[in-house]
Coordinates of all heavy atoms in Angstrom, one line a residue:
M1184 N 11.7 -26.5 -20.0 CA 11.5 -25.6 -18.8 C 10.7 -24.4 -19.2 O 11.0 -23.8 -20.2 CB 12.7 -25.3 -18.1 CG 12.5 -24.5 -16.8 SD 14.0 -24.3 -15.9 CE 13.4 -24.7 -14.3
A1185 N 9.7 -24.1 -18.5 CA 8.9 -22.9 -18.8 C 9.1 -21.9 -17.7 O 9.2 -22.2 -16.5 CB 7.4 -23.2 -18.9
D1186 N 9.1 -20.6 -18.0 CA 9.3 -19.5 -17.1 C 8.3 -18.3 -17.4 O 8.1 -18.1 -18.6 CB 10.7 -18.9 -17.2 CG 11.8 -19.9 -16.9 OD1 11.8 -20.4 -15.7 OD2 12.6 -20.2 -17.8
V1187 N 7.8 -17.8 -16.4 CA 6.9 -16.6 -16.5 C 7.3 -15.6 -15.4 O 7.7 -16.0 -14.3 CB 5.4 -16.9 -16.5 CG1 5.0 -17.8 -17.6 CG2 4.9 -17.4 -15.2
T1188 N 7.0 -14.4 -15.6 CA 7.1 -13.3 -14.6 C 5.8 -12.8 -14.3 O 5.0 -12.5 -15.2 CB 8.0 -12.2 -15.1 OG1 9.3 -12.7 -15.4 CG2 8.2 -11.1 -14.1
V1189 N 5.4 -12.7 -13.0 CA 4.1 -12.2 -12.6 C 4.4 -10.9 -11.9 O 5.1 -10.9 -10.9 CB 3.4 -13.2 -11.6 CG1 2.1 -12.6 -11.1 CG2 3.2 -14.6 -12.2
N1190 N 3.9 -9.8 -12.5 CA 4.0 -8.5 -11.9 C 2.8 -8.2 -11.1 O 1.8 -7.8 -11.7 CB 4.2 -7.5 -13.1 CG 5.5 -7.7 -13.8 OD1 6.6 -7.7 -13.2 ND2 5.5 -7.8 -15.1
S1191 N 2.9 -8.2 -9.8 CA 1.8 -7.9 -8.9 C 1.9 -6.5 -8.5 O 2.3 -6.2 -7.4 CB 1.8 -8.9 -7.7 OG 1.7 -10.2 -8.2
T1192 N 1.6 -5.6 -9.4 CA 1.8 -4.2 -9.2 C 1.0 -3.6 -8.0 O 1.4 -2.7 -7.3 CB 1.6 -3.3 -10.4 OG1 0.2 -3.6 -10.9 CG2 2.5 -3.7 -11.5
I1193 N -0.2 -4.2 -7.7 CA -1.0 -3.7 -6.6 C -0.3 -3.9 -5.3 O -0.3 -3.1 -4.4 CB -2.4 -4.3 -6.6 CG1 -3.2 -3.6 -7.8 CG2 -3.1 -4.1 -5.3 CD1 -4.6 -4.1 -8.0
C1194 N 0.3 -5.1 -5.1 CA 1.0 -5.4 -3.8 C 2.5 -5.1 -3.9 O 3.1 -5.2 -2.9 CB 0.7 -6.8 -3.4 SG 1.3 -8.1 -4.5
G1195 N 3.0 -4.8 -5.1 CA 4.4 -4.3 -5.2 C 5.4 -5.4 -5.3 O 6.6 -5.2 -5.2
F1196 N 5.0 -6.6 -5.7 CA 5.9 -7.7 -5.8 C 6.0 -8.2 -7.3 O 5.1 -8.1 -8.0 CB 5.5 -8.9 -5.0 CG 5.5 -8.7 -3.5 CD1 4.4 -8.5 -2.8 CD2 6.8 -8.7 -2.8 CE1 4.5 -8.3 -1.4 CE2 6.8 -8.4 -1.5 CZ 5.7 -8.3 -0.8
V1197 N 7.2 -8.7 -7.6 CA 7.5 -9.3 -8.9 C 7.9 -10.7 -8.6 O 8.8 -11.0 -7.7 CB 8.6 -8.6 -9.7 CG1 8.9 -9.4 -11.0 CG2 8.2 -7.2 -10.0
H1198 N 7.3 -11.7 -9.2 CA 7.5 -13.1 -8.9 C 8.0 -13.8 -10.2 O 7.4 -13.6 -11.3 CB 6.3 -13.8 -8.5 CG 5.4 -13.0 -7.5 ND1 5.5 -13.1 -6.2 CD2 4.4 -12.2 -7.8 CE1 4.7 -12.3 -5.6 NE2 3.9 -11.7 -6.6
K1199 N 9.0 -14.6 -10.1 CA 9.6 -15.4 -11.2 C 9.2 -16.8 -11.0 O 9.5 -17.4 -9.9 CB 11.1 -15.3 -11.3 CG 11.6 -13.9 -11.4 CD 11.6 -13.4 -12.8 CE 12.3 -12.1 -12.9 NZ 12.2 -11.5 -14.2
V1200 N 8.4 -17.4 -11.9 CA 7.9 -18.7 -11.8 C 8.6 -19.6 -12.8 O 8.6 -19.3 -14.0 CB 6.3 -18.8 -12.0 CG1 5.8 -20.2 -11.8 CG2 5.6 -17.8 -11.1
H1201 N 9.2 -20.7 -12.3 CA 9.9 -21.6 -13.2 C 9.3 -23.0 -13.0 O 8.9 -23.4 -11.9 CB 11.4 -21.7 -12.7 CG 12.1 -20.4 -12.5 ND1 12.5 -19.7 -13.6 CD2 12.3 -19.7 -11.4 CE1 13.0 -18.5 -13.1 NE2 13.0 -18.6 -11.8
G1202 N 9.0 -23.7 -14.1 CA 8.5 -25.0 -14.0 C 9.1 -26.0 -15.0 O 9.6 -25.6 -16.1
E1203 N 9.0 -27.2 -14.6 CA 9.6 -28.3 -15.4 C 8.8 -29.6 -15.2 O 8.5 -30.0 -14.0 CB 11.0 -28.5 -15.1 CG 11.7 -29.6 -16.0 CD 13.2 -29.6 -15.8 OE1 13.7 -29.1 -14.8 OE2 13.9 -30.3 -16.6
K1204 N 8.4 -30.3 -16.3 CA 7.7 -31.6 -16.1 C 8.8 -32.6 -15.7 O 9.8 -32.8 -16.4 CB 7.1 -31.9 -17.5 CG 6.3 -33.2 -17.5 CD 5.7 -33.5 -18.8 CE 5.1 -34.8 -18.9 NZ 4.6 -35.2 -20.2
V1205 N 8.4 -33.3 -14.6 CA 9.3 -34.4 -14.2 C 8.3 -35.6 -13.9 O 7.5 -35.6 -12.9 CB 10.0 -34.0 -12.9 CG1 10.8 -35.2 -12.4 CG2 10.9 -32.9 -13.1
G1206 N 8.3 -36.6 -14.8 CA 7.4 -37.7 -14.7 C 5.9 -37.2 -14.8 O 5.6 -36.6 -15.8
K1207 N 5.1 -37.5 -13.8 CA 3.7 -37.1 -13.9 C 3.4 -35.8 -13.1 O 2.3 -35.5 -12.8 CB 2.8 -38.2 -13.3 CG 2.9 -39.4 -14.2 CD 1.9 -40.5 -13.8 CE 1.9 -41.7 -14.7 NZ 0.8 -42.6 -14.5
N1208 N 4.5 -35.1 -12.7 CA 4.4 -33.9 -12.0 C 5.0 -32.7 -12.7 O 5.9 -32.9 -13.5 CB 5.1 -34.0 -10.6 CG 4.4 -35.0 -9.7 OD1 3.2 -35.2 -9.7 ND2 5.2 -35.6 -8.8
I1209 N 4.5 -31.5 -12.3 CA 5.2 -30.3 -12.8 C 5.9 -29.8 -11.5 O 5.2 -29.5 -10.5 CB 4.2 -29.2 -13.3 CG1 3.3 -29.9 -14.4 CG2 5.0 -28.0 -13.8 CD1 4.0 -30.3 -15.7
V1210 N 7.2 -29.6 -11.6 CA 8.0 -29.1 -10.4 C 8.0 -27.6 -10.6 O 8.6 -27.1 -11.7 CB 9.4 -29.7 -10.3 CG1 10.1 -29.1 -9.2 CG2 9.2 -31.2 -10.1
I1211 N 7.5 -26.9 -9.7 CA 7.5 -25.4 -9.7 C 8.4 -24.8 -8.6 O 8.3 -25.2 -7.5 CB 6.0 -24.8 -9.5 CG1 5.1 -25.3 -10.6 CG2 6.0 -23.3 -9.3 CD1 5.3 -24.6 -11.9
D1212 N 9.1 -23.8 -9.0 CA 9.9 -23.0 -8.1 C 9.6 -21.5 -8.4 O 9.6 -21.1 -9.5 CB 11.4 -23.3 -8.2 CG 11.8 -24.6 -7.6 OD1 11.5 -24.8 -6.4 OD2 12.2 -25.5 -8.4
I1213 N 9.4 -20.8 -7.3 CA 9.0 -19.4 -7.4 C 10.0 -18.5 -6.7 O 10.3 -18.7 -5.5 CB 7.6 -19.1 -6.9 CG1 6.6 -20.0 -7.5 CG2 7.2 -17.6 -7.1 CD1 5.2 -20.0 -6.9
E1214 N 10.6 -17.6 -7.3 CA 11.5 -16.6 -6.7 C 10.6 -15.4 -6.4 O 10.0 -14.8 -7.3 CB 12.6 -16.1 -7.7 CG 13.5 -17.2 -8.1 CD 14.4 -16.7 -9.2 OE1 15.0 -15.5 -9.1 OE2 14.7 -17.5 -10.2
T1215 N 10.6 -15.0 -5.1 CA 9.6 -14.0 -4.7 C 10.1 -13.4 -3.3 O 10.8 -14.0 -2.6 CB 8.2 -14.5 -4.5 OG1 7.3 -13.4 -4.2 CG2 8.1 -15.6 -3.5
D1216 N 9.7 -12.1 -3.1 CA 9.9 -11.5 -1.8 C 8.6 -11.6 -0.9 O 8.7 -11.2 0.3 CB 10.4 -10.1 -1.9 CG 11.8 -10.0 -2.5 OD1 12.6 -10.9 -2.2 OD2 12.1 -9.0 -3.2
C1217 N 7.6 -12.0 -1.5 CA 6.3 -12.1 -0.8 C 6.3 -13.3 0.2 O 6.5 -14.4 -0.2 CB 5.1 -12.2 -1.8 SG 3.5 -12.5 -1.0
E1218 N 6.0 -12.9 1.5 CA 6.0 -14.0 2.5 C 5.0 -15.0 2.3 O 5.2 -16.2 2.6 CB 5.9 -13.3 3.9 CG 7.1 -12.5 4.3 CD 8.4 -13.3 4.3 OE1 8.4 -14.4 4.8 OE2 9.4 -12.7 3.9
K1219 N 3.8 -14.7 1.8 CA 2.7 -15.6 1.5 C 3.2 -16.6 0.4 O 3.0 -17.8 0.5 CB 1.4 -14.9 1.2 CG 0.9 -14.2 2.4 CD -0.4 -13.5 2.1 CE -1.0 -12.9 3.3 NZ -2.3 -12.2 3.1
I1220 N 3.7 -16.0 -0.7 CA 4.0 -16.9 -1.8 C 5.3 -17.7 -1.5 O 5.4 -18.8 -2.0 CB 4.3 -16.0 -3.1 CG1 3.0 -15.2 -3.5 CG2 4.8 -16.8 -4.2 CD1 1.9 -16.1 -3.8
K1221 N 6.1 -17.3 -0.6 CA 7.3 -18.1 -0.2 C 6.8 -19.4 0.4 O 7.5 -20.4 0.3 CB 8.1 -17.3 0.8 CG 9.0 -16.3 0.2 CD 9.8 -15.6 1.3 CE 10.7 -14.5 0.7 NZ 11.6 -13.8 1.7
K1222 N 5.6 -19.4 1.0 CA 5.1 -20.6 1.6 C 4.7 -21.7 0.5 O 4.5 -22.9 0.9 CB 3.8 -20.3 2.5 CG 4.1 -19.5 3.7 CD 2.9 -19.1 4.4 CE 3.1 -18.1 5.5 NZ 1.9 -17.7 6.2
M1223 N 4.6 -21.2 -0.7 CA 4.2 -22.2 -1.8 C 5.3 -22.1 -2.9 O 5.0 -22.4 -4.0 CB 2.8 -21.9 -2.3 CG 2.6 -20.5 -2.8 SD 0.9 -20.2 -3.3 CE 0.9 -20.8 -5.0
S1224 N 6.5 -21.7 -2.5 CA 7.5 -21.4 -3.5 C 8.1 -22.6 -4.1 O 8.8 -22.5 -5.2 CB 8.6 -20.5 -3.0 OG 9.3 -21.1 -1.9
H1225 N 7.9 -23.8 -3.6 CA 8.4 -25.1 -4.2 C 7.2 -26.0 -4.2 O 6.7 -26.3 -3.0 CB 9.6 -25.7 -3.5 CG 10.0 -26.9 -4.2 ND1 10.7 -27.0 -5.3 CD2 9.7 -28.2 -3.8 CE1 10.9 -28.3 -5.6 NE2 10.3 -29.0 -4.7
M1226 N 6.8 -26.5 -5.3 CA 5.7 -27.4 -5.4 C 6.0 -28.5 -6.4 O 6.6 -28.2 -7.4 CB 4.4 -26.7 -5.8 CG 3.8 -25.7 -4.8 SD 2.3 -24.9 -5.3 CE 2.9 -23.7 -6.5
E1227 N 5.5 -29.7 -6.1 CA 5.5 -30.8 -7.1 C 4.1 -31.1 -7.4 O 3.4 -31.8 -6.6 CB 6.3 -32.0 -6.6 CG 7.8 -31.6 -6.4 CD 8.6 -32.8 -6.0 OE1 8.2 -33.9 -6.1 OE2 9.7 -32.5 -5.5
I1228 N 3.6 -30.6 -8.5 CA 2.1 -30.6 -8.8 C 1.7 -31.7 -9.6 O 2.2 -31.8 -10.8 CB 1.8 -29.2 -9.5 CG1 2.2 -28.0 -8.6 CG2 0.3 -29.2 -9.7 CD1 2.2 -26.7 -9.3
P1229 N 0.9 -32.6 -9.2 CA 0.4 -33.7 -10.0 C -0.4 -33.1 -11.2 O -1.3 -32.2 -11.0 CB -0.6 -34.5 -9.1 CG -0.2 -34.1 -7.7 CD 0.3 -32.7 -7.8
M1230 N 0.0 -33.5 -12.4 CA -0.6 -32.9 -13.6 C -2.2 -33.0 -13.6 O -2.8 -32.1 -14.1 CB 0.0 -33.6 -14.9 CG 1.4 -33.1 -15.2 SD 2.0 -33.6 -16.8 CE 2.2 -35.4 -16.5
D1231 N -2.7 -34.1 -13.1 CA -4.1 -34.3 -13.1 C -4.8 -33.4 -12.1 O -6.1 -33.4 -12.1 CB -4.5 -35.8 -12.9 CG -4.1 -36.3 -11.5 OD1 -3.3 -35.6 -10.8 OD2 -4.5 -37.5 -11.2
Q1232 N -4.1 -32.6 -11.3 CA -4.8 -31.7 -10.4 C -4.6 -30.3 -10.8 O -4.5 -29.4 -9.9 CB -4.2 -32.0 -9.0 CG -4.6 -33.3 -8.4 CD -4.1 -33.5 -7.0 OE1 -4.0 -32.6 -6.2 NE2 -3.7 -34.8 -6.7
T1233 N -4.5 -30.0 -12.1 CA -4.3 -28.6 -12.6 C -5.4 -28.2 -13.5 O -5.5 -27.1 -13.9 CB -3.0 -28.5 -13.3 OG1 -3.0 -29.3 -14.5 CG2 -1.8 -28.8 -12.5
L1234 N -6.3 -29.2 -13.9 CA -7.2 -28.9 -15.0 C -8.5 -28.3 -14.5 O -9.2 -27.6 -15.3 CB -7.5 -30.1 -15.8 CG -6.2 -30.7 -16.4 CD1 -6.5 -32.1 -17.0 CD2 -5.5 -29.8 -17.4
D1235 N -8.9 -28.5 -13.2 CA -10.2 -28.0 -12.7 C -9.9 -26.8 -11.7 O -8.8 -26.8 -11.2 CB -10.9 -29.1 -12.1 CG -12.4 -29.0 -11.9 OD1 -12.9 -28.2 -12.7 OD2 -13.0 -29.7 -11.1
I1236 N -10.9 -26.0 -11.5 CA -10.7 -24.9 -10.6 C -11.0 -25.4 -9.1 O -10.4 -24.9 -8.1 CB -11.5 -23.7 -10.9 CG1 -10.9 -22.4 -10.3 CG2 -12.9 -23.8 -10.5 CD1 -9.8 -21.8 -11.2
K1237 N -11.9 -26.4 -9.0 CA -12.3 -26.8 -7.7 C -11.3 -27.8 -7.0 O -10.8 -27.5 -5.9 CB -13.7 -27.5 -7.7 CG -14.2 -27.8 -6.3 CD -15.6 -28.4 -6.4 CE -16.0 -28.8 -5.0 NZ -17.3 -29.5 -5.0
D1238 N -10.9 -28.8 -7.7 CA -10.0 -29.8 -7.2 C -8.6 -29.5 -7.8 O -8.1 -30.2 -8.7 CB -10.4 -31.2 -7.5 CG -11.7 -31.6 -6.9 OD1 -11.9 -31.2 -5.7 OD2 -12.6 -32.1 -7.5
N1239 N -8.0 -28.4 -7.4 CA -6.8 -27.9 -8.0 C -5.7 -27.7 -7.0 O -5.8 -27.0 -6.0 CB -7.1 -26.5 -8.7 CG -6.0 -26.1 -9.6 OD1 -4.9 -25.8 -9.0 ND2 -6.2 -25.9 -10.8
Y1240 N -4.6 -28.4 -7.2 CA -3.5 -28.4 -6.2 C -3.0 -27.0 -6.0 O -2.7 -26.6 -4.9 CB -2.4 -29.3 -6.8 CG -1.2 -29.5 -5.9 CD1 -1.1 -30.6 -5.0 CD2 -0.1 -28.6 -5.9 CE1 -0.1 -30.8 -4.2 CE2 0.9 -28.8 -5.0 CZ 1.0 -29.9 -4.2 OH 2.0 -30.1 -3.3
V1241 N -2.8 -26.2 -7.1 CA -2.3 -24.9 -6.9 C -3.2 -24.0 -6.1 O -2.7 -23.3 -5.3 CB -2.0 -24.3 -8.3 CG1 -1.5 -22.8 -8.2 CG2 -1.0 -25.1 -9.1
M1242 N -4.5 -24.0 -6.4 CA -5.4 -23.2 -5.7 C -5.5 -23.6 -4.2 O -5.6 -22.8 -3.3 CB -6.8 -23.3 -6.3 CG -6.9 -22.9 -7.8 SD -6.1 -21.3 -8.0 CE -7.5 -20.2 -7.7
T1243 N -5.4 -24.9 -3.9 CA -5.3 -25.4 -2.5 C -4.1 -24.9 -1.8 O -4.2 -24.4 -0.7 CB -5.3 -26.9 -2.5 OG1 -6.5 -27.4 -3.1 CG2 -5.3 -27.5 -1.1
K1244 N -3.0 -24.9 -2.5 CA -1.7 -24.4 -1.8 C -1.9 -22.9 -1.6 O -1.4 -22.3 -0.6 CB -0.5 -24.7 -2.7 CG -0.2 -26.2 -2.7 CD 0.1 -26.6 -1.3 CE 0.4 -28.1 -1.2 NZ 0.6 -28.6 0.2
A1245 N -2.5 -22.2 -2.6 CA -2.7 -20.7 -2.4 C -3.6 -20.4 -1.2 O -3.4 -19.5 -0.5 CB -3.3 -20.1 -3.7
Q1246 N -4.6 -21.2 -1.1 CA -5.5 -21.0 0.1 C -4.8 -21.3 1.4 O -4.9 -20.6 2.4 CB -6.7 -22.0 0.0 CG -7.7 -21.6 -1.1 CD -8.8 -22.7 -1.2 OE1 -8.7 -23.7 -0.7 NE2 -9.8 -22.3 -2.0
E1247 N -4.0 -22.4 1.4 CA -3.2 -22.7 2.6 C -2.2 -21.6 3.0 O -1.9 -21.4 4.1 CB -2.5 -24.0 2.4 CG -3.4 -25.2 2.4 CD -2.7 -26.5 2.0 OE1 -1.4 -26.5 1.8 OE2 -3.4 -27.6 1.9
A1248 N -1.6 -20.9 2.0 CA -0.7 -19.9 2.2 C -1.4 -18.5 2.5 O -0.7 -17.5 2.7 CB 0.2 -19.7 0.9
K1249 N -2.7 -18.6 2.5 CA -3.5 -17.4 2.8 C -3.3 -16.2 1.8 O -3.3 -15.1 2.1 CB -3.3 -16.9 4.2 CG -3.7 -18.0 5.2 CD -3.9 -17.4 6.6 CE -4.2 -18.4 7.7 NZ -5.1 -19.5 7.4
C1250 N -3.2 -16.6 0.5 CA -3.1 -15.6 -0.6 C -4.5 -15.0 -0.7 O -5.5 -15.6 -0.4 CB -2.8 -16.3 -1.9 SG -1.1 -17.0 -2.0
S1251 N -4.4 -13.7 -1.1 CA -5.7 -13.1 -1.4 C -6.4 -13.6 -2.6 O -5.7 -14.2 -3.5 CB -5.5 -11.5 -1.5 OG -4.7 -11.3 -2.7
A1252 N -7.7 -13.5 -2.7 CA -8.5 -14.0 -3.8 C -8.0 -13.5 -5.1 O -8.2 -14.1 -6.2 CB -10.0 -13.8 -3.5
N1253 N -7.5 -12.2 -5.1 CA -7.1 -11.6 -6.4 C -5.6 -11.8 -6.7 O -5.1 -11.1 -7.6 CB -7.5 -10.2 -6.4 CG -6.9 -9.4 -5.3 OD1 -6.4 -9.9 -4.3 ND2 -6.9 -8.1 -5.5
C1254 N -4.9 -12.7 -6.0 CA -3.5 -12.9 -6.3 C -3.3 -13.5 -7.6 O -4.0 -14.5 -8.0 CB -2.9 -13.8 -5.2 SG -1.1 -14.1 -5.4
L1255 N -2.4 -12.9 -8.4 CA -2.1 -13.4 -9.8 C -1.2 -14.6 -9.8 O -1.1 -15.2 -10.9 CB -1.6 -12.3 -10.6 CG -2.5 -11.0 -10.8 CD1 -1.8 -9.9 -11.5 CD2 -3.8 -11.4 -11.5
V1256 N -0.5 -14.9 -8.8 CA 0.6 -15.9 -8.8 C 0.0 -17.3 -9.2 O 0.5 -18.0 -10.0 CB 1.4 -15.9 -7.5 CG1 2.4 -17.1 -7.6 CG2 2.2 -14.6 -7.4
P1257 N -1.1 -17.7 -8.5 CA -1.7 -19.0 -8.9 C -2.0 -19.2 -10.4 O -1.7 -20.2 -11.0 CB -2.9 -19.1 -8.0 CG -2.6 -18.3 -6.8 CD -1.8 -17.1 -7.4
C1258 N -2.5 -18.1 -11.0 CA -2.8 -18.1 -12.4 C -1.5 -18.2 -13.2 O -1.4 -19.0 -14.2 CB -3.5 -16.8 -12.8 SG -4.0 -16.7 -14.5
G1259 N -0.4 -17.5 -12.8 CA 0.9 -17.7 -13.4 C 1.4 -19.1 -13.3 O 2.0 -19.6 -14.3
V1260 N 1.3 -19.7 -12.2 CA 1.7 -21.0 -12.0 C 1.0 -22.0 -12.9 O 1.6 -22.9 -13.6 CB 1.5 -21.5 -10.5 CG1 1.8 -23.0 -10.3 CG2 2.5 -20.7 -9.6
L1261 N -0.3 -21.8 -13.0 CA -1.1 -22.7 -13.9 C -0.8 -22.5 -15.3 O -0.8 -23.5 -16.1 CB -2.6 -22.5 -13.6 CG -3.1 -23.0 -12.3 CD1 -4.5 -22.5 -11.9 CD2 -3.0 -24.5 -12.2
H1262 N -0.4 -21.3 -15.8 CA 0.1 -21.1 -17.1 C 1.3 -21.9 -17.4 O 1.5 -22.5 -18.4 CB 0.3 -19.6 -17.4 CG -1.0 -18.9 -17.9 ND1 -2.0 -18.5 -17.0 CD2 -1.4 -18.6 -19.1 CE1 -2.9 -18.0 -17.6 NE2 -2.6 -17.9 -18.9
V1263 N 2.2 -21.8 -16.4 CA 3.5 -22.6 -16.6 C 3.2 -24.1 -16.6 O 3.7 -24.8 -17.5 CB 4.4 -22.3 -15.4 CG1 5.6 -23.3 -15.4 CG2 5.0 -20.9 -15.4
C1264 N 2.3 -24.6 -15.8 CA 1.9 -26.0 -15.9 C 1.3 -26.4 -17.2 O 1.7 -27.4 -17.8 CB 0.8 -26.3 -14.8 SG 1.5 -26.3 -13.1
R1265 N 0.5 -25.5 -17.8 CA -0.2 -25.8 -19.1 C 0.9 -25.9 -20.2 O 0.9 -26.7 -21.1 CB -1.2 -24.8 -19.4 CG -2.5 -25.2 -18.6 CD -3.6 -24.1 -18.7 NE -4.9 -24.6 -18.1 CZ -5.1 -24.8 -16.8 NH1 -4.1 -24.7 -16.0 NH2 -6.2 -25.2 -16.4
M1266 N 1.9 -24.9 -20.1 CA 3.0 -25.0 -21.1 C 3.8 -26.3 -21.0 O 4.1 -26.9 -22.0 CB 3.9 -23.8 -20.9 CG 3.3 -22.5 -21.5 SD 4.4 -21.2 -21.6 CE 4.5 -20.6 -19.9
E1267 N 4.1 -26.7 -19.8 CA 4.9 -27.9 -19.5 C 4.1 -29.2 -19.9 O 4.7 -30.2 -20.3 CB 5.4 -28.0 -18.1 CG 6.5 -27.1 -17.8 CD 7.7 -27.5 -18.6 OE1 8.3 -28.6 -18.4 OE2 8.2 -26.6 -19.5
M1268 N 2.8 -29.1 -19.8 CA 2.0 -30.2 -20.2 C 1.6 -30.3 -21.6 O 1.0 -31.3 -22.1 CB 0.6 -30.2 -19.4 CG 0.8 -30.4 -17.9 SD -0.6 -30.0 -16.9 CE -1.9 -31.0 -17.6
G1269 N 2.0 -29.3 -22.4 CA 1.7 -29.3 -23.8 C 0.3 -28.7 -24.2 O -0.1 -28.9 -25.3
L1270 N -0.3 -28.1 -23.2 CA -1.7 -27.6 -23.4 C -1.7 -26.2 -23.8 O -2.7 -25.6 -24.3 CB -2.6 -27.8 -22.2 CG -2.7 -29.3 -21.7 CD1 -3.5 -29.3 -20.4 CD2 -3.4 -30.1 -22.8
L1271 N -0.6 -25.5 -23.7 CA -0.4 -24.1 -24.1 C 1.0 -24.0 -24.8 O 2.0 -24.3 -24.2 CB -0.5 -23.2 -22.9 CG -0.2 -21.7 -23.1 CD1 -1.2 -21.1 -24.1 CD2 -0.2 -20.9 -21.8
S1272 N 1.0 -23.5 -26.0 CA 2.2 -23.4 -26.8 C 3.1 -22.3 -26.2 O 2.6 -21.2 -26.1 CB 1.9 -23.2 -28.3 OG 3.0 -22.7 -28.9
P1273 N 4.3 -22.6 -25.8 CA 5.2 -21.6 -25.3 C 5.4 -20.4 -26.4 O 5.5 -19.3 -26.0 CB 6.5 -22.3 -25.0 CG 6.1 -23.7 -24.8 CD 4.9 -23.9 -25.7
S1274 N 5.5 -20.8 -27.7 CA 5.7 -19.8 -28.7 C 4.5 -19.0 -28.9 O 4.6 -17.7 -29.1 CB 6.1 -20.5 -30.0 OG 5.1 -21.3 -30.5
L1275 N 3.3 -19.5 -28.7 CA 2.0 -18.7 -28.8 C 1.9 -17.8 -27.6 O 1.6 -16.6 -27.7 CB 0.8 -19.7 -28.8 CG -0.5 -18.9 -28.8 CD1 -0.7 -18.0 -30.0 CD2 -1.7 -20.0 -28.7
A1276 N 2.3 -18.3 -26.4 CA 2.3 -17.5 -25.2 C 3.2 -16.3 -25.4 O 2.9 -15.2 -25.1 CB 2.6 -18.3 -24.0
K1277 N 4.5 -16.6 -25.9 CA 5.4 -15.5 -26.1 C 4.9 -14.5 -27.1 O 5.1 -13.3 -26.9 CB 6.8 -16.1 -26.5 CG 7.9 -15.8 -25.6 CD 9.2 -16.4 -26.0 CE 10.0 -16.9 -25.0 NZ 10.3 -16.2 -23.9
K1278 N 4.4 -15.0 -28.2 CA 3.9 -14.1 -29.3 C 2.7 -13.3 -28.8 O 2.6 -12.1 -29.1 CB 3.4 -15.0 -30.4 CG 2.9 -14.2 -31.6 CD 2.5 -15.2 -32.7 CE 1.8 -14.4 -33.9 NZ 1.3 -15.2 -34.9
S1279 N 1.9 -13.8 -27.9 CA 0.7 -13.1 -27.4 C 1.2 -12.0 -26.4 O 0.4 -11.0 -26.2 CB -0.2 -14.1 -26.7 OG -0.7 -15.0 -27.6
G1280 N 2.3 -12.2 -25.8 CA 2.8 -11.2 -24.8 C 2.2 -11.2 -23.5 O 1.8 -12.3 -23.0
D1281 N 2.0 -10.0 -22.9 CA 1.5 -9.9 -21.5 C 0.1 -10.2 -21.4 O -0.7 -9.9 -22.3 CB 1.8 -8.5 -20.9 CG 3.3 -8.3 -20.8 OD1 4.1 -9.2 -20.8 OD2 3.6 -7.1 -20.7
I1282 N -0.3 -10.8 -20.2 CA -1.7 -10.8 -19.9 C -1.9 -9.7 -18.8 O -1.1 -9.6 -17.9 CB -2.1 -12.2 -19.3 CG1 -1.9 -13.3 -20.3 CG2 -3.5 -12.2 -18.7 CD1 -2.0 -14.7 -19.8
S1283 N -3.0 -9.0 -18.9 CA -3.1 -7.8 -18.0 C -4.5 -7.6 -17.5 O -5.4 -8.0 -18.2 CB -2.5 -6.6 -18.6 OG -3.3 -6.2 -19.7
I1284 N -4.6 -6.9 -16.4 CA -5.9 -6.4 -15.9 C -5.7 -4.9 -15.8 O -4.8 -4.4 -15.1 CB -6.3 -7.0 -14.6 CG1 -6.4 -8.5 -14.7 CG2 -7.5 -6.4 -14.0 CD1 -6.5 -9.2 -13.3
S1285 N -6.4 -4.2 -16.6 CA -6.2 -2.7 -16.6 C -7.4 -2.0 -15.8 O -8.5 -2.4 -15.8 CB -6.3 -2.1 -18.0 OG -5.2 -2.7 -18.7
F1286 N -7.0 -1.0 -15.0 CA -7.9 -0.2 -14.2 C -8.0 1.2 -14.7 O -7.0 1.7 -15.2 CB -7.5 -0.2 -12.7 CG -7.5 -1.6 -12.0 CD1 -6.4 -2.3 -11.9 CD2 -8.7 -2.1 -11.6 CE1 -6.4 -3.5 -11.3 CE2 -8.7 -3.4 -11.0 CZ -7.5 -4.1 -10.8

């Protein structure tokens, strides 16, 4: 199981993203107080729909939930998917620490 915390400091929310590979899907659960993210807080994501930006299950769900274009949660979800799929080493991610955008 992979877990990440997304600190959305601009909108004031902290989101806990949990994911686990189950068969050919990544099951994602998100703990959040954000009403928009709650609409996509449980997803069963087909692994083959996570690799491209255009035909991407997570991005489609974010659009349906009317997330803003600069929402960091879809990126966090995709990082969890990549760890569960073996495309991103959890130990490397932990060693690298936070990903940030500084203003």
Side-chain angles (χ1 to χ4, degrees):
M1184 181 170 227
D1186 298 298
V1187 301
T1188 300
V1189 178
N1190 294 305
S1191 300
T1192 55
I1193 287 180
C1194 61
F1196 292 107
V1197 175
H1198 319 271
K1199 304 279 188 181
V1200 181
H1201 312 282
E1203 183 174 12
K1204 182 179 173 188
V1205 178
K1207 294 185 177 190
N1208 293 330
I1209 308 296
V1210 177
I1211 295 288
D1212 288 298
I1213 305 170
E1214 297 174 40
T1215 184
D1216 290 328
C1217 174
E1218 292 303 319
K1219 290 181 180 181
I1220 298 302
K1221 282 181 181 180
K1222 294 176 187 172
M1223 55 183 278
S1224 64
H1225 178 80
M1226 296 181 280
E1227 295 185 16
I1228 305 167
M1230 288 189 287
D1231 64 350
Q1232 292 182 34
T1233 63
L1234 302 173
D1235 203 19
I1236 205 87
K1237 185 176 179 186
D1238 297 316
N1239 189 297
Y1240 185 93
V1241 176
M1242 301 309 273
T1243 299
K1244 291 298 178 188
Q1246 288 173 351
E1247 290 172 1
K1249 301 197 182 318
C1250 293
S1251 65
N1253 60 341
C1254 180
L1255 298 175
V1256 175
C1258 183
V1260 169
L1261 289 170
H1262 275 78
V1263 168
C1264 289
R1265 282 172 173 65
M1266 284 191 280
E1267 283 297 297
M1268 292 167 56
L1270 300 174
L1271 174 61
S1272 164
S1274 60
L1275 174 62
K1277 240 182 218 311
K1278 182 180 173 186
S1279 298
D1281 296 342
I1282 296 174
S1283 67
I1284 298 171
S1285 299
F1286 296 99

